[in-house]
């Protein structure tokens, strides 16, 4: 039973790390897409909103990962 718990815990932590990497890649892509745009354009503003949203997800995911690694 304990080995099943360890297996699930490990999978959850590894999934969360992969999710974090994906979010970080998304923000890099958004930065690259925003770079050539006029900061006053509608496209830039929409991408900036998405960038900030994704950045918030990164912060939350890092926090959850830290808590998981401490608790589990």
């Amino acid at each position: 039973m304990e080995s099943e718990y360890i297996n699930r815990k490990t999978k959850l932590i590894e999934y969360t790390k992969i999710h974090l990497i994906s979010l970080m890649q998304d923000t890099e892509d958004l930065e690259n897409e925003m770079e050539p745009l006029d900061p006053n354009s509608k496209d830039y503003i929409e991408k900036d909103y998405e960038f900030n949203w994704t950045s918030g997800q990164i912060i939350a995911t890092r926090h959850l990962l830290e808590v998981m690694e401490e608790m589990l």
Side-chain angles (χ1 to χ4, degrees):
M1 185 72 169
E2 186 174 331
S3 66
E4 181 62 28
Y5 168 77
I6 291 171
N7 185 33
R8 287 182 182 188
K9 174 185 93 164
T10 302
K11 284 182 179 181
L12 176 62
I13 290 173
E14 289 306 310
Y15 170 80
T16 306
K17 288 178 180 178
I18 291 168
H19 181 64
L20 180 59
I21 291 168
S22 176
L23 289 169
M24 293 169 72
Q25 289 171 340
D26 290 347
T27 58
E28 284 180 33
D29 291 343
L30 285 165
E31 280 181 323
N32 292 334
E33 291 174 17
M34 291 168 66
E35 193 171 312
L37 298 175
D38 174 7
N40 295 318
S41 71
K42 180 182 175 187
D43 289 339
Y44 184 93
I45 293 169
E46 288 175 357
K47 295 212 180 286
D48 185 53
Y49 179 84
E50 188 176 349
F51 178 86
N52 291 325
W53 176 264
T54 306
S55 295
Q57 291 181 58
I58 288 172
I59 293 167
T61 302
R62 282 184 178 149
H63 172 71
L64 291 172
L65 185 58
E66 288 174 12
V67 171
M68 280 187 262
E69 289 176 333
E70 287 177 14
M71 291 179 67
L72 302 177

